[in-house]
Amino acid sequence: MRGQPSILHLDMDAFYASVEQAAKPSLRGKPVIVGGLGPRGVVATASYEARRFGVHSAMPMGQARRLSPHAACLVPRFGVYRKISERVMALLAELSPLVEPLSLDEAFVDLAAGPAPPASSAAARRAGEELRARIRAATGLTGSVGLAGSKMLAKIASEQAKPDGLVLIEPGTERELLAPMPVRTLPGVGPATAETLRRAGLSTVGEAAEAGEAELLRLLGKAHGHAVYAMALGLDDRAVVADRDAKSISVEDTFDTDVTDRARVRFEVARLADRCVGRLRSAGRSGRTVVLKVRRYDFTTLTRSETLRGPTDDPVVIAEAAGRLLDGVDTTEGVRLLGVGVSGLADFTQEDLFAQAAPPEPAPGAPVAVAAEAPVERRWLPGLDVTHARHGPGWIQGSGVGRVTVRFERPDSPPGRARTFRLDDPELSHSDPLPLVTHADAEADAGTAQAG
């Protein structure tokens, strides 16, 4: 544990949904749900307005629609989220060379390793507030910051700061702060461990600490019991580790209840693959071996890997490889944890990305099948960017029965008007997303933040 709150944890607020609200003025202040829209779709992120109705990530989209029937349900735009994440991570890198991204919207920063290490709690708070102001200036979005003497407490602080706030935990106050919190607050305490502790009468962190190390070792085993006891006392010496020094990059999620639905498992693997690519790109790396980790209902853990022809950071290639690995794993009895990782890291990317999954070359003289060219179908999915030859840029609000409805507005405009067109309208086409913040606005806001 450090004597100064020099570890910072940043967590962007409802990241995907907040990006959509910033890009679409008509959705600001209204419930927004981002995720899969099909019959087996799952919520990726919900805005705070939607969360008030009980909507949360990993919930089936059908259930989310019933809880918040007036919410805007949009497909994810991962390319947009990734670019914004890169800008945020670049701002963190200016604070310190030790930045540990956890996902597109979350990272630890070791301020003590930076050019201006904070000598006091007040200095650490100033650094956190300046970071929040710079992120808002650069992206138009808000992030919550936690500051503490350890990674565990910094993450707890950022949770307390949400949304759009900053919480600093003074060294020496850790045990008093942790005591009333549920044991699930501690890293590594999932539903099964929490239930074991609850049956023993230990529901809060304070109760776990008072039970003593010997009792936790008896309940949880040597390694896990020792770690839980140390963290219940507020002790956490884990270092902030930059991804450039890692031999592999991975992400994983533990589910509150076992996942048995195969479509949901596939969605989660695809989502984890995208998060893994986000960390890969934030670190400026590529990788050659894709790894899938599956922990089943009975705690057995399976690991499968596939080595590609060359290193890549292409999200399609990595997601497809993870999907192929999943095909060989039986998940019918339930999955507790899923993880996707990339190893064999390199500082360059295979140029011929599509060759990774290419079929073998036909033998000389073998007949070559020529497929008839099929017409390209334009899919008008809610939330995607479009432009109209006469009305300009907008986004798809919905489609069906041969029609598509588009709301024409820009991130810097008032809420726009919705218009409906035929699906085959020749003047309507998909387009690149507009920036949330213009260069001039970002410079002006940055100057104001510095002056403040």
Side-chain angles (χ1 to χ4, degrees):
M1 295 293 296
R2 301 183 180 185
Q4 295 293 344
S6 57
I7 294 182
L8 180 149
H9 181 259
L10 170 72
D11 197 349
M12 300 296 289
D13 299 320
F15 184 50
Y16 297 172
S18 294
V19 170
E20 300 303 341
Q21 289 177 318
K24 303 168 172 64
S26 59
L27 298 184
R28 293 170 191 169
K30 298 179 181 178
V32 173
I33 303 171
V34 179
L37 303 186
R40 294 183 178 272
V42 177
V43 175
T45 306
S47 69
Y48 287 98
E49 295 84 358
R51 295 181 191 187
R52 296 191 188 106
F53 294 94
V55 180
H56 57 78
S57 60
M59 171 183 285
M61 183 61 77
Q63 182 183 357
R65 289 180 186 270
R66 291 191 293 273
L67 291 172
S68 185
H70 301 296
C73 297
L74 311 175
V75 297
R77 298 186 300 154
F78 289 116
V80 177
Y81 310 148
R82 189 175 298 112
K83 288 181 180 178
I84 295 172
S85 173
E86 289 169 356
R87 298 182 71 180
V88 172
M89 296 300 167
L91 292 175
L92 299 183
E94 294 178 13
L95 290 175
S96 170
L98 289 183
V99 176
E100 182 179 344
L102 304 179
S103 63
L104 290 179
D105 60 340
E106 185 181 2
F108 286 109
V109 183
D110 187 345
L111 298 178
S120 64
S121 295
R125 184 180 295 275
R126 282 195 301 272
E129 293 291 6
E130 288 171 5
L131 172 66
R132 293 179 61 239
R134 295 185 69 193
I135 289 173
R136 183 187 285 273
T139 68
L141 304 175
T142 64
S144 295
V145 166
L147 289 155
S150 70
K151 291 170 72 172
M152 176 184 75
L153 291 167
K155 185 171 175 61
I156 289 172
S158 69
E159 284 295 323
Q160 292 184 327
K162 283 186 166 293
D164 191 19
L166 182 149
V167 168
L168 184 148
I169 297 177
E170 291 282 359
T173 66
E174 297 89 358
R175 291 195 63 176
E176 180 182 357
L177 173 82
L178 288 171
M181 294 183 175
V183 289
R184 285 291 305 276
T185 304
L186 301 177
V189 177
T193 301
E195 178 59 21
T196 298
L197 294 173
R198 186 196 65 78
R199 288 198 300 265
L202 310 176
S203 297
T204 67
V205 175
E207 290 168 347
E210 289 175 8
E213 185 173 15
E215 177 65 4
L216 294 182
L217 292 177
R218 185 184 70 82
L219 292 170
L220 306 177
K222 185 175 180 180
H224 198 27
H226 177 75
V228 170
Y229 180 67
M231 290 189 177
L233 298 179
L235 304 177
D236 177 21
D237 294 324
R238 292 175 300 160
V240 176
V241 180
D243 274 338
R244 283 192 182 276
D245 299 324
K247 295 181 179 179
S248 65
I249 291 175
S250 63
V251 295
E252 60 183 43
D253 273 344
T254 301
F255 306 109
D256 290 338
T257 57
D258 292 351
V259 178
T260 56
D261 182 86
R262 186 69 174 183
R264 164 80 186 282
V265 173
R266 284 193 173 281
F267 173 85
E268 294 295 342
V269 168
R271 185 173 63 84
L272 288 166
D274 188 81
R275 284 174 52 192
C276 184
V277 169
R279 294 190 63 183
L280 200 63
R281 289 185 169 180
S282 295
R285 310 299 294 275
S286 60
R288 188 177 182 184
T289 300
V290 178
V291 181
L292 176 70
K293 178 180 177 182
V294 180
R295 180 167 297 150
R296 299 197 290 194
Y297 73 102
D298 59 357
F299 286 91
T300 58
T301 302
L302 304 176
T303 303
R304 300 287 185 268
S305 64
E306 176 180 325
T307 299
L308 307 172
R309 297 185 182 181
T312 182
D313 66 351
D314 185 274
V316 174
V317 172
I318 291 173
E320 287 180 350
R324 288 193 296 273
L325 294 170
L326 179 63
D327 289 339
V329 178
D330 181 10
T331 62
T332 54
E333 295 189 77
V335 172
R336 303 180 58 83
L337 175 147
L338 287 170
V340 174
V342 177
S343 61
L345 302 185
D347 292 319
F348 63 94
T349 301
Q350 176 86 10
E351 291 188 11
D352 186 8
L353 296 175
F354 295 102
Q356 307 282 8
E361 294 282 340
V368 179
V370 179
E373 185 174 343
V376 177
E377 179 186 358
R378 292 185 295 176
R379 300 186 65 200
W380 306 110
L381 299 177
L384 296 185
D385 299 279
V386 294
T387 187
H388 193 274
R390 286 180 289 125
H391 302 294
W395 58 278
I396 299 168
Q397 192 165 287
S399 63
V401 199
R403 301 284 176 177
V404 55
T405 299
V406 177
R407 188 170 290 276
F408 291 98
E409 57 188 5
R410 307 168 59 97
D412 57 352
S413 75
R417 178 180 174 181
R419 300 175 182 270
T420 300
F421 308 91
R422 298 192 322 273
L423 288 178
D424 60 352
D425 190 315
E427 295 187 304
L428 185 66
S429 61
H430 289 287
S431 66
D432 293 331
L434 298 173
L436 300 187
V437 177
T438 65
H439 183 67
D441 288 341
E443 287 187 339
D445 289 343
T448 303
Q450 270 192 332

